[in-house]
Amino acid sequence: MIPRLGTPPRPDATYRLRPGAYAVLLHRGRVLLTEQTLSGRTELQLPGGGIDPGEAPLPALHREVFEETGHRCAILRRVGAYRRFTWMPEYGFHAEKLCTIYAGLAGPRLGPPSEPGHRAIWLAPDKAGARLANACDRAYLSRALRLL
């Protein structure tokens, strides 16, 4: 069973399943994060995002990392998965996010992020853990660092 992290689902809300792939990516002792400004709010997150219909998780992850950071990546292993229930203001719906987390290495930067409102941020692992916006990302960052 895939564990649920974060707040429980609201009984008065209808949730759409939103599978996604996310990564803990290292390079020279630093972690690559994405700074996202959405709905007037700026936060740091693990790079990654939704898996489009018909898309496999790893190609989706490579696409999302590139769109959000401008970097390529090399995925070394799957770290785990969790479910998180949340409101997604950028899409206007409640989502049951099925998040699969991978660990790997950040590759070269090929250009700026192509996704509006995103910026690549490099931090030391201890600072990254303290600044990630949600506890789920923090927990899987810690787990991935132990595996790398």
Side-chain angles (χ1 to χ4, degrees), residues 77-141:
R77 65 181 304 163
R78 182 180 181 274
V79 176
Y82 67 89
R83 295 177 311 128
R84 183 167 79 100
F85 292 86
T86 189
W87 168 251
M88 296 184 73
E90 65 273 27
Y91 298 108
F93 63 79
H94 288 90
E96 176 185 356
K97 294 181 81 172
L98 176 54
C99 305
T100 303
I101 310 298
Y102 296 88
L105 304 173
R109 181 175 186 255
L110 301 180
S114 61
E115 194 162 327
H118 289 71
R119 183 169 74 110
I121 300 288
W122 291 96
L123 291 175
D126 60 330
K127 290 190 179 1
R131 297 211 26 222
L132 282 167
N134 75 66
C136 306
D137 282 356
R138 290 191 293 275
Y140 277 83
L141 169 66

Side-chain angles (χ1 to χ4, degrees), residues 23-105:
V24 173
L25 300 170
L26 296 177
H27 181 73
R28 295 185 179 170
R30 295 184 303 158
V31 179
L32 176 62
L33 302 176
T34 181
E35 180 184 77
Q36 299 184 18
T37 302
L38 303 168
S39 302
R41 198 176 76 212
T42 299
E43 57 184 39
L44 291 181
Q45 299 179 358
L46 295 177
I51 300 169
D52 292 336
E55 190 175 33
L58 287 178
L61 179 58
H62 285 274
R63 175 185 53 75
E64 286 284 347
V65 168
F66 181 70
E67 289 173 358
E68 293 182 354
T69 70
H71 285 267
R72 293 291 184 205
C73 64
I75 301 304
L76 302 176
R77 65 181 304 163
R78 182 180 181 274
V79 176
Y82 67 89
R83 295 177 311 128
R84 183 167 79 100
F85 292 86
T86 189
W87 168 251
M88 296 184 73
E90 65 273 27
Y91 298 108
F93 63 79
H94 288 90
E96 176 185 356
K97 294 181 81 172
L98 176 54
C99 305
T100 303
I101 310 298
Y102 296 88
L105 304 173

Side-chain angles (χ1 to χ4, degrees), residues 3 5 79-81 137-148:
L5 299 178
V79 176
D137 282 356
R138 290 191 293 275
Y140 277 83
L141 169 66
S142 179
R143 185 180 293 187
L145 291 172
R146 288 193 304 270
L147 296 173
L148 288 171

